[in-house]
Amino acid sequence: MTPRSLTPLLLASVLLAACNGVATKGPVAIDVPLAPTKGNTATGQVRFTEIDGGVIVEARLGGLAPGGHGFHIHEKGDCSAPDATSAGGHFNPTGMPHGQPGKPEHHAGDLPMLVADAAGNAKLSTTVDGLSLTSKGNGNIVGRAVIVHAAPDDFTTQPTGNSGARVACGVIASN
């Protein structure tokens, strides 16, 4: 080979090496399957995607009673109890009262209401500020549980919003 014929080969090698050093990962996302608690039929999936300053929450569920359902992140990533009480209370690292997301006072784990249609299916897509999947701060939700409740959240009753029994639970675990 002549030096002139090595030039394209050398250039291609340098470009390939440079491309291997470029980060190609997209946003961090965690898919959480939800399983029914004892005596319930609610199942589905929640996807948490980290964005700058918060997390996008996308939920799809079935097997719910028609109407509103409280929807929260709970403090412990443990769904082992038949009624999911092992997940503890709402995730609340700042000690705020329970309230509606987007209002100044609410638990970090307070999420918007899930509303099931007549067939028992619910979808939700929302952005929650202050939560994280990667930071070491007090907004990190990895290792916690996401819970769907039987009743609507009134966003005022302390500390739970009077949302009733836990009908589905899933653990937010890193992939």
Side-chain angles (χ1 to χ4, degrees):
M1 284 191 170
T2 66
R4 190 177 279 281
S5 63
L6 286 176
T7 302
L9 195 56
L10 182 61
L11 182 58
S13 295
V14 169
L15 285 172
L16 237 148
C19 287
N20 283 336
V22 174
T24 57
K25 288 185 176 182
V28 173
I30 297 176
D31 291 321
V32 179
L34 296 179
T37 56
K38 186 175 182 180
N40 293 293
T41 59
T43 61
Q45 181 166 310
V46 181
R47 170 171 271 201
F48 295 94
T49 305
E50 185 166 311
I51 58 171
D52 189 29
V55 172
I56 297 170
V57 180
E58 299 170 292
R60 290 185 179 275
L61 286 101
L64 295 165
H69 295 271
F71 186 46
H72 309 105
I73 297 169
H74 284 245
E75 61 190 347
K76 299 175 189 168
D78 183 355
C79 296
S80 63
D83 61 357
T85 54
S86 51
H90 294 180
F91 176 52
N92 188 17
T94 57
M96 299 296 275
H98 177 68
Q100 192 158 0
K103 301 283 180 162
E105 292 193 344
H106 67 280
H107 298 154
D110 291 339
L111 299 173
M113 184 92 62
L114 278 174
V115 180
D117 62 19
N121 299 311
K123 292 189 297 186
L124 174 74
S125 182
T126 190
T127 300
V128 182
D129 294 333
L131 298 182
S132 171
L133 302 174
T134 60
S135 79
K136 302 257 190 256
N138 64 6
N140 192 308
I141 59 172
V142 173
R144 309 206 182 277
V146 60
I147 300 278
V148 178
H149 292 269
D153 190 329
D154 67 16
F155 295 113
T156 56
T157 303
Q158 299 301 319
T160 64
N162 200 28
S163 323
R166 302 165 188 208
V167 298
C169 184
V171 175
I172 305 166
S174 60
N175 298 332

